[in-house]
Amino acid sequence: MNFPILKKIPLFYGVKPEEIPSILHCLSGQIRSFSKGEMIFCAGESITAVGIVLEGSVHIEIDDFWGSKNILNHVGPGQLFGEAYACSPSEPLMVNVVSVTPSQILFLDVPKILHTCEKPCSHHQQMIENLLRIMATSNLQLSRRILHTTPKTIRERLLAYLSYQELLTGSPEITIAFNRQQLADYLSVDRSALSKEIGKMQKDGLLEVKKNEFVLKSKE
């Protein structure tokens, strides 16, 4: 395993590089590869492991009874998923986790993070603190999605989402992680209606679009 990559992952912040091999052994670390479209976690199952994306990307999705899909989050390299459920193994998953591209995922046993070893490990307290920060960040991401999908119109939802992306990058030139269908699923709108509204917004001079690249235009 490439330990320098792990040093950049938030769960390992503050952990000494020489401790990482013993941590992976202590936490029953396993790396698995997934193909595009393959299910990693399924709604209804219970988990005790957190997933860390080493390569590729995954989506956190929820499907309703009639087959409508909503994308709750995009998870890229270095990011975690499933941490809240892994901390509450009696709570079944309400979401699916799907590999969007060929990906490599590192799985770590969360109960072994939360409970100290028989032989005290100096890294345990640091990893618990890191996990709490990550969970707080995940809660904020969910809150942001609620803000993006609260507006009634498609235009308002898209503007809320793109405005936040501009805030993150500090630039009106934005490359988003979603294709058109995925963006529609994230915003909980119809794809055709979204494409139609994007066309109108371009005519209104609000933005320019090329695939998943957006350029925001200020109002005159």
Side-chain angles (χ1 to χ4, degrees):
M1 185 179 296
N2 191 337
F3 296 137
I5 290 178
L6 296 183
K7 288 193 300 181
K8 300 177 182 179
I9 293 174
L11 186 61
F12 292 91
Y13 285 173
V15 174
K16 298 178 182 178
E18 60 268 24
E19 291 181 319
I20 292 180
S22 64
I23 290 174
L24 297 178
H25 176 75
C26 177
L27 302 182
S28 303
Q30 293 184 342
I31 294 180
R32 291 181 57 193
S33 297
F34 294 87
S35 58
K36 180 180 179 180
E38 187 173 357
M39 196 75 71
I40 300 172
F41 290 147
C42 297
E45 67 177 314
S46 298
I47 61 173
T48 58
V50 63
I52 302 174
V53 180
L54 300 180
E55 295 181 7
S57 59
V58 308
H59 280 172
I60 313 299
E61 302 177 349
I62 186 168
D63 297 333
D64 64 22
F65 179 80
W66 296 272
S68 297
K69 184 190 305 295
N70 285 310
I71 297 176
L72 301 181
N73 199 13
H74 173 90
V75 185
Q79 296 179 307
L80 280 69
F81 60 87
E83 63 276 6
Y85 287 101
C87 288
S88 305
S90 61
E91 190 72 26
L93 284 164
M94 296 177 63
V95 298
N96 296 317
V97 182
V98 183
S99 182
V100 184
T101 63
S103 57
Q104 278 197 335
I105 310 297
L106 169 64
F107 294 97
L108 299 176
D109 193 286
V110 168
K112 291 182 179 179
I113 298 177
L114 301 178
H115 298 92
T116 57
C117 308
E118 294 180 2
K119 296 180 180 179
C121 299
S122 60
H123 63 262
H124 253 116
Q125 183 61 39
Q126 182 63 57
M127 294 196 74
I128 290 173
E129 292 178 5
N130 292 344
L131 185 59
L132 286 173
R133 292 191 184 95
I134 291 167
M135 292 179 69
T137 299
S138 296
N139 285 335
L140 290 173
Q141 289 175 341
L142 181 57
S143 297
R144 282 193 289 268
R145 184 181 183 276
I146 292 173
L147 291 175
H148 296 156
T149 56
T150 296
K152 294 182 178 180
T153 69
I154 294 175
R155 177 173 295 204
E156 289 171 340
R157 294 186 183 192
L158 183 59
L159 287 175
Y161 172 73
L162 293 176
S163 293
Y164 176 68
Q165 297 303 314
E166 189 276 336
L167 182 65
L168 285 180
T169 63
S171 170
E173 298 181 6
I174 301 164
T175 300
I176 66 173
F178 300 136
N179 61 30
R180 189 62 55 84
Q181 182 61 61
Q182 292 165 348
L183 180 59
D185 292 339
Y186 177 82
L187 297 175
S188 299
V189 300
D190 178 75
R191 175 181 175 175
S192 297
L194 174 64
S195 295
K196 185 177 180 180
E197 188 59 42
I198 288 175
K200 290 180 179 178
M201 293 171 70
Q202 290 188 87
K203 290 182 179 179
D204 292 343
L206 295 176
L207 48 79
E208 294 179 0
V209 184
K210 184 178 181 181
K211 293 185 177 180
N212 65 334
E213 298 177 357
F214 290 74
V215 178
L216 307 187
K217 300 292 186 177
S218 60
K219 296 180 179 180
E220 298 297 337

